[in-house]
Amino acid sequence: MGEELNRRKFLTYVGTGVTALTVASAGLGAFTPKVVEAKGAKAASHLFGRNKKVSGVNFKPIKPTDKDDLVLPRGFKYDVIASYGDVINKKGETFGYNNDFTMFFPMKGSNERGLLWVNHEYTSDLWVTGPKKDGKYTKDQIEKLLYNQGGSIIEVYKEDGVWKMDTESEFARRITGLTPFKLTGPAAGAKAVAGAHTVQGTFANCSGGKTLWNTVLSAEENYESTSKDALLNETHYGWIVEVDPFNKGFSPRKHTSLGRFHHENAAMGLTNDGRVAVYMGDDKTDACVYKFISKHKYIKSRKQANSVLLEEGTLYAANLSKGEWVALTLEAVQKKAAGNQEILAKFQTQADVLVHAHEAAILLGATPTDRPEDVEISPFDKSVFIAHTNNSKHGNIHGHITRFLEGNDDLGSLTFDFEIFACGGRQSGFSAPDNLTFDSDGNLWTVTDISSSSVNKGVFSSFKNNGVFVIPTTGRNEGEAFQFASAPVEAELTGPCFTDDETTLFLAVQHPGEETEDMNNPTSMWPHRKGDNQPRPSVVAITGFHY
Ligand code: FEO
Ligand code: CA
Ligand code: CA
């Protein structure tokens, strides 16, 4: 671990950071950052095989703004690819509401054509279902509620510099709250899920991740209201789901080994001995950070059959006081709860532990933290970044980003150290860090999620609308945030995802005009479509990244 810290300190950037920003501000144009190796930094040699791509802090940061637009630095533009209600395929299926996580799957290695998986997190009474009557939705409303959550698989391509959706696609389809899913792992068929092997649909899909075998993981987050409104068994939701965007024959599944909680995302990597590690956040105040480690090893040639790795393994939660990953096993829970009949009655099988993972984690000494949302593994040094969005219960109003340093740089380690990498607040210019993604230069692209009811008010005034910030994780600007984008009014920017060559950044603009009360007087009209009369959550492609 000490070695790890030293290695990071040895890395020096030339041409990035302050110098680069000065150059850009002076209008002297683009520059090419270079990584140089300081004396004795042999351990960092793996970095020099990397091709520096074109993203990074290569722009003039924008200032906070309350403009009702997706505002970008000079030289960048966005194309709206798909908006709520758009037809996505020949069958006439439509794009769901409140798009969140996006993940690009290139076709034939292309950076200009591929499938884009998009999560749909929740709906709106005003714009989607219509209001409840006597506290209930009708059957039709429930169908809308379920259809407009889940995921969309759309085919996207770039033509004459403009990104578009290909509605003739053979692959484009919807996965919704009505799609059958099979359960895998210890809770499949267990009493804890009412004996179910198959469940109805996925919803509350927040963020997610990509597996090493090119499938998508989507995280079921705040599942309670929809399962209640649709009269569905709550224990069938709150899981990590897996879908293969290219293959309809790969049955959509929920992996119960990864635990049930308010899943934000799933970041996958390999342990030093070749097993799969999946890091996960639980987006609630006073909730834990989790890691799943598979029992068996990843074998590349097995391709999608590697999915079975997510069916068997150990779920851990982080104890930050001790720097230990605590295994959530039935044995440990029963030992800890000895003599407490109420707890022992609740935890009789490993399925019970997984279904009630948060309770088990707290019982076993895992640390309650400040809304752990996105977790990402640095491609640079395998340190693990966690967005702790905020927790007003004890005064962490603007949140922070935590960095875990796994023992021996091994994602399979059961010990870790950590640091607070960056803090939200006036001093840093950002508040409420949420989704994260890395570029190949080791910069952390961070979106913010100040709630619609707080944005631009009181202690959130200085930040204006939500945004995208780029935070170098090494070099002289380590931990400093540079604003890249500003969201439309009352929107949250979610799901940043680069194409492999980093010439395009996909981004989901969620809930523009969320505080609207009167349909005839919306607080936002983004994306300002000609002839439209409402704001629409939409996915955009941002271009303009240059060397
Ligand atoms: Fe759905 Fe945690 O944001
Ligand atoms: Ca989120
Ligand atoms: Ca969030």
mmCIF file with all atom_site columns, all heavy atoms in Angstrom, residues 251-263:
data_model
loop_
_atom_site.group_PDB
_atom_site.id
_atom_site.type_symbol
_atom_site.label_atom_id
_atom_site.label_alt_id
_atom_site.label_comp_id
_atom_site.label_asym_id
_atom_site.label_entity_id
_atom_site.label_seq_id
_atom_site.pdbx_PDB_ins_code
_atom_site.Cartn_x
_atom_site.Cartn_y
_atom_site.Cartn_z
_atom_site.occupancy
_atom_site.B_iso_or_equiv
_atom_site.pdbx_formal_charge
_atom_site.auth_seq_id
_atom_site.auth_comp_id
_atom_site.auth_asym_id
_atom_site.auth_atom_id
_atom_site.pdbx_PDB_model_num
ATOM 1   N N   . SER A 1 251 ? -30.543 -14.777 -21.560 1.00 0.00 ? 251 SER A N   1
ATOM 2   C CA  . SER A 1 251 ? -31.716 -14.337 -20.804 1.00 0.00 ? 251 SER A CA  1
ATOM 3   C C   . SER A 1 251 ? -31.340 -13.290 -19.754 1.00 0.00 ? 251 SER A C   1
ATOM 4   O O   . SER A 1 251 ? -30.371 -13.476 -19.018 1.00 0.00 ? 251 SER A O   1
ATOM 5   C CB  . SER A 1 251 ? -32.425 -15.526 -20.168 1.00 0.00 ? 251 SER A CB  1
ATOM 6   O OG  . SER A 1 251 ? -31.481 -16.353 -19.542 1.00 0.00 ? 251 SER A OG  1
ATOM 7   N N   . PRO A 1 252 ? -32.085 -12.187 -19.695 1.00 0.00 ? 252 PRO A N   1
ATOM 8   C CA  . PRO A 1 252 ? -31.831 -11.171 -18.681 1.00 0.00 ? 252 PRO A CA  1
ATOM 9   C C   . PRO A 1 252 ? -31.867 -11.806 -17.291 1.00 0.00 ? 252 PRO A C   1
ATOM 10  O O   . PRO A 1 252 ? -32.728 -12.651 -17.018 1.00 0.00 ? 252 PRO A O   1
ATOM 11  C CB  . PRO A 1 252 ? -32.984 -10.189 -18.869 1.00 0.00 ? 252 PRO A CB  1
ATOM 12  C CG  . PRO A 1 252 ? -33.399 -10.367 -20.291 1.00 0.00 ? 252 PRO A CG  1
ATOM 13  C CD  . PRO A 1 252 ? -33.207 -11.827 -20.577 1.00 0.00 ? 252 PRO A CD  1
ATOM 14  N N   . ARG A 1 253 ? -30.911 -11.434 -16.430 1.00 0.00 ? 253 ARG A N   1
ATOM 15  C CA  . ARG A 1 253 ? -30.804 -12.107 -15.131 1.00 0.00 ? 253 ARG A CA  1
ATOM 16  C C   . ARG A 1 253 ? -30.478 -11.134 -14.002 1.00 0.00 ? 253 ARG A C   1
ATOM 17  O O   . ARG A 1 253 ? -29.948 -10.045 -14.248 1.00 0.00 ? 253 ARG A O   1
ATOM 18  C CB  . ARG A 1 253 ? -29.747 -13.213 -15.225 1.00 0.00 ? 253 ARG A CB  1
ATOM 19  C CG  . ARG A 1 253 ? -28.399 -12.725 -15.698 1.00 0.00 ? 253 ARG A CG  1
ATOM 20  C CD  . ARG A 1 253 ? -27.539 -13.861 -16.274 1.00 0.00 ? 253 ARG A CD  1
ATOM 21  N NE  . ARG A 1 253 ? -28.069 -14.374 -17.539 1.00 0.00 ? 253 ARG A NE  1
ATOM 22  C CZ  . ARG A 1 253 ? -27.491 -15.331 -18.258 1.00 0.00 ? 253 ARG A CZ  1
ATOM 23  N NH1 . ARG A 1 253 ? -26.378 -15.894 -17.855 1.00 0.00 ? 253 ARG A NH1 1
ATOM 24  N NH2 . ARG A 1 253 ? -28.028 -15.727 -19.385 1.00 0.00 ? 253 ARG A NH2 1
ATOM 25  N N   . LYS A 1 254 ? -30.810 -11.524 -12.803 1.00 0.00 ? 254 LYS A N   1
ATOM 26  C CA  . LYS A 1 254 ? -30.478 -10.754 -11.601 1.00 0.00 ? 254 LYS A CA  1
ATOM 27  C C   . LYS A 1 254 ? -29.575 -11.626 -10.745 1.00 0.00 ? 254 LYS A C   1
ATOM 28  O O   . LYS A 1 254 ? -29.942 -12.751 -10.418 1.00 0.00 ? 254 LYS A O   1
ATOM 29  C CB  . LYS A 1 254 ? -31.733 -10.391 -10.812 1.00 0.00 ? 254 LYS A CB  1
ATOM 30  C CG  . LYS A 1 254 ? -32.758 -9.601  -11.622 1.00 0.00 ? 254 LYS A CG  1
ATOM 31  C CD  . LYS A 1 254 ? -33.817 -8.962  -10.741 1.00 0.00 ? 254 LYS A CD  1
ATOM 32  C CE  . LYS A 1 254 ? -34.832 -8.238  -11.623 1.00 0.00 ? 254 LYS A CE  1
ATOM 33  N NZ  . LYS A 1 254 ? -35.688 -7.309  -10.848 1.00 0.00 ? 254 LYS A NZ  1
ATOM 34  N N   . HIS A 1 255 ? -28.402 -11.082 -10.400 1.00 0.00 ? 255 HIS A N   1
ATOM 35  C CA  . HIS A 1 255 ? -27.408 -11.869 -9.662  1.00 0.00 ? 255 HIS A CA  1
ATOM 36  C C   . HIS A 1 255 ? -27.518 -11.624 -8.161  1.00 0.00 ? 255 HIS A C   1
ATOM 37  O O   . HIS A 1 255 ? -27.048 -10.615 -7.648  1.00 0.00 ? 255 HIS A O   1
ATOM 38  C CB  . HIS A 1 255 ? -26.007 -11.503 -10.158 1.00 0.00 ? 255 HIS A CB  1
ATOM 39  C CG  . HIS A 1 255 ? -25.743 -11.920 -11.573 1.00 0.00 ? 255 HIS A CG  1
ATOM 40  N ND1 . HIS A 1 255 ? -25.751 -13.248 -11.965 1.00 0.00 ? 255 HIS A ND1 1
ATOM 41  C CD2 . HIS A 1 255 ? -25.479 -11.203 -12.687 1.00 0.00 ? 255 HIS A CD2 1
ATOM 42  C CE1 . HIS A 1 255 ? -25.477 -13.318 -13.266 1.00 0.00 ? 255 HIS A CE1 1
ATOM 43  N NE2 . HIS A 1 255 ? -25.315 -12.096 -13.730 1.00 0.00 ? 255 HIS A NE2 1
ATOM 44  N N   . THR A 1 256 ? -28.137 -12.579 -7.471  1.00 0.00 ? 256 THR A N   1
ATOM 45  C CA  . THR A 1 256 ? -28.385 -12.356 -6.044  1.00 0.00 ? 256 THR A CA  1
ATOM 46  C C   . THR A 1 256 ? -27.108 -12.440 -5.203  1.00 0.00 ? 256 THR A C   1
ATOM 47  O O   . THR A 1 256 ? -27.073 -11.935 -4.088  1.00 0.00 ? 256 THR A O   1
ATOM 48  C CB  . THR A 1 256 ? -29.435 -13.353 -5.492  1.00 0.00 ? 256 THR A CB  1
ATOM 49  O OG1 . THR A 1 256 ? -28.874 -14.666 -5.480  1.00 0.00 ? 256 THR A OG1 1
ATOM 50  C CG2 . THR A 1 256 ? -30.716 -13.336 -6.317  1.00 0.00 ? 256 THR A CG2 1
ATOM 51  N N   . SER A 1 257 ? -26.040 -13.047 -5.753  1.00 0.00 ? 257 SER A N   1
ATOM 52  C CA  . SER A 1 257 ? -24.769 -13.105 -5.009  1.00 0.00 ? 257 SER A CA  1
ATOM 53  C C   . SER A 1 257 ? -24.227 -11.709 -4.701  1.00 0.00 ? 257 SER A C   1
ATOM 54  O O   . SER A 1 257 ? -23.440 -11.539 -3.780  1.00 0.00 ? 257 SER A O   1
ATOM 55  C CB  . SER A 1 257 ? -23.697 -13.827 -5.832  1.00 0.00 ? 257 SER A CB  1
ATOM 56  O OG  . SER A 1 257 ? -23.925 -15.195 -5.805  1.00 0.00 ? 257 SER A OG  1
ATOM 57  N N   . LEU A 1 258 ? -24.619 -10.728 -5.528  1.00 0.00 ? 258 LEU A N   1
ATOM 58  C CA  . LEU A 1 258 ? -24.097 -9.381  -5.360  1.00 0.00 ? 258 LEU A CA  1
ATOM 59  C C   . LEU A 1 258 ? -24.911 -8.565  -4.347  1.00 0.00 ? 258 LEU A C   1
ATOM 60  O O   . LEU A 1 258 ? -24.672 -7.375  -4.151  1.00 0.00 ? 258 LEU A O   1
ATOM 61  C CB  . LEU A 1 258 ? -24.027 -8.659  -6.718  1.00 0.00 ? 258 LEU A CB  1
ATOM 62  C CG  . LEU A 1 258 ? -22.789 -8.976  -7.574  1.00 0.00 ? 258 LEU A CG  1
ATOM 63  C CD1 . LEU A 1 258 ? -22.701 -10.443 -7.945  1.00 0.00 ? 258 LEU A CD1 1
ATOM 64  C CD2 . LEU A 1 258 ? -22.748 -8.124  -8.826  1.00 0.00 ? 258 LEU A CD2 1
ATOM 65  N N   . GLY A 1 259 ? -25.864 -9.215  -3.715  1.00 0.00 ? 259 GLY A N   1
ATOM 66  C CA  . GLY A 1 259 ? -26.603 -8.577  -2.627  1.00 0.00 ? 259 GLY A CA  1
ATOM 67  C C   . GLY A 1 259 ? -27.741 -7.704  -3.111  1.00 0.00 ? 259 GLY A C   1
ATOM 68  O O   . GLY A 1 259 ? -27.811 -7.312  -4.275  1.00 0.00 ? 259 GLY A O   1
ATOM 69  N N   . ARG A 1 260 ? -28.645 -7.450  -2.191  1.00 0.00 ? 260 ARG A N   1
ATOM 70  C CA  . ARG A 1 260 ? -29.803 -6.607  -2.488  1.00 0.00 ? 260 ARG A CA  1
ATOM 71  C C   . ARG A 1 260 ? -29.740 -5.383  -1.592  1.00 0.00 ? 260 ARG A C   1
ATOM 72  O O   . ARG A 1 260 ? -29.753 -5.490  -0.359  1.00 0.00 ? 260 ARG A O   1
ATOM 73  C CB  . ARG A 1 260 ? -31.097 -7.387  -2.247  1.00 0.00 ? 260 ARG A CB  1
ATOM 74  C CG  . ARG A 1 260 ? -32.350 -6.566  -2.417  1.00 0.00 ? 260 ARG A CG  1
ATOM 75  C CD  . ARG A 1 260 ? -33.576 -7.448  -2.253  1.00 0.00 ? 260 ARG A CD  1
ATOM 76  N NE  . ARG A 1 260 ? -34.758 -6.640  -2.053  1.00 0.00 ? 260 ARG A NE  1
ATOM 77  C CZ  . ARG A 1 260 ? -35.187 -6.230  -0.852  1.00 0.00 ? 260 ARG A CZ  1
ATOM 78  N NH1 . ARG A 1 260 ? -34.552 -6.583  0.243   1.00 0.00 ? 260 ARG A NH1 1
ATOM 79  N NH2 . ARG A 1 260 ? -36.262 -5.486  -0.764  1.00 0.00 ? 260 ARG A NH2 1
ATOM 80  N N   . PHE A 1 261 ? -29.619 -4.231  -2.228  1.00 0.00 ? 261 PHE A N   1
ATOM 81  C CA  . PHE A 1 261 ? -29.695 -2.948  -1.506  1.00 0.00 ? 261 PHE A CA  1
ATOM 82  C C   . PHE A 1 261 ? -30.063 -1.876  -2.525  1.00 0.00 ? 261 PHE A C   1
ATOM 83  O O   . PHE A 1 261 ? -30.639 -2.215  -3.566  1.00 0.00 ? 261 PHE A O   1
ATOM 84  C CB  . PHE A 1 261 ? -28.383 -2.652  -0.739  1.00 0.00 ? 261 PHE A CB  1
ATOM 85  C CG  . PHE A 1 261 ? -27.083 -3.017  -1.418  1.00 0.00 ? 261 PHE A CG  1
ATOM 86  C CD1 . PHE A 1 261 ? -26.396 -2.083  -2.164  1.00 0.00 ? 261 PHE A CD1 1
ATOM 87  C CD2 . PHE A 1 261 ? -26.543 -4.299  -1.294  1.00 0.00 ? 261 PHE A CD2 1
ATOM 88  C CE1 . PHE A 1 261 ? -25.179 -2.406  -2.778  1.00 0.00 ? 261 PHE A CE1 1
ATOM 89  C CE2 . PHE A 1 261 ? -25.329 -4.633  -1.903  1.00 0.00 ? 261 PHE A CE2 1
ATOM 90  C CZ  . PHE A 1 261 ? -24.647 -3.686  -2.656  1.00 0.00 ? 261 PHE A CZ  1
ATOM 91  N N   . HIS A 1 262 ? -29.764 -0.610  -2.247  1.00 0.00 ? 262 HIS A N   1
ATOM 92  C CA  . HIS A 1 262 ? -30.122 0.447   -3.203  1.00 0.00 ? 262 HIS A CA  1
ATOM 93  C C   . HIS A 1 262 ? -28.939 0.645   -4.131  1.00 0.00 ? 262 HIS A C   1
ATOM 94  O O   . HIS A 1 262 ? -28.171 1.592   -3.995  1.00 0.00 ? 262 HIS A O   1
ATOM 95  C CB  . HIS A 1 262 ? -30.521 1.718   -2.467  1.00 0.00 ? 262 HIS A CB  1
ATOM 96  C CG  . HIS A 1 262 ? -31.676 1.485   -1.545  1.00 0.00 ? 262 HIS A CG  1
ATOM 97  N ND1 . HIS A 1 262 ? -31.517 1.128   -0.221  1.00 0.00 ? 262 HIS A ND1 1
ATOM 98  C CD2 . HIS A 1 262 ? -33.012 1.483   -1.786  1.00 0.00 ? 262 HIS A CD2 1
ATOM 99  C CE1 . HIS A 1 262 ? -32.714 0.936   0.316   1.00 0.00 ? 262 HIS A CE1 1
ATOM 100 N NE2 . HIS A 1 262 ? -33.632 1.137   -0.604  1.00 0.00 ? 262 HIS A NE2 1
ATOM 101 N N   . HIS A 1 263 ? -28.801 -0.314  -5.055  1.00 0.00 ? 263 HIS A N   1
ATOM 102 C CA  . HIS A 1 263 ? -27.620 -0.359  -5.909  1.00 0.00 ? 263 HIS A CA  1
ATOM 103 C C   . HIS A 1 263 ? -27.494 0.873   -6.786  1.00 0.00 ? 263 HIS A C   1
ATOM 104 O O   . HIS A 1 263 ? -28.408 1.197   -7.540  1.00 0.00 ? 263 HIS A O   1
ATOM 105 C CB  . HIS A 1 263 ? -27.697 -1.577  -6.839  1.00 0.00 ? 263 HIS A CB  1
ATOM 106 C CG  . HIS A 1 263 ? -27.254 -2.851  -6.198  1.00 0.00 ? 263 HIS A CG  1
ATOM 107 N ND1 . HIS A 1 263 ? -25.936 -3.114  -5.920  1.00 0.00 ? 263 HIS A ND1 1
ATOM 108 C CD2 . HIS A 1 263 ? -27.953 -3.944  -5.819  1.00 0.00 ? 263 HIS A CD2 1
ATOM 109 C CE1 . HIS A 1 263 ? -25.840 -4.329  -5.383  1.00 0.00 ? 263 HIS A CE1 1
ATOM 110 N NE2 . HIS A 1 263 ? -27.050 -4.847  -5.295  1.00 0.00 ? 263 HIS A NE2 1
#
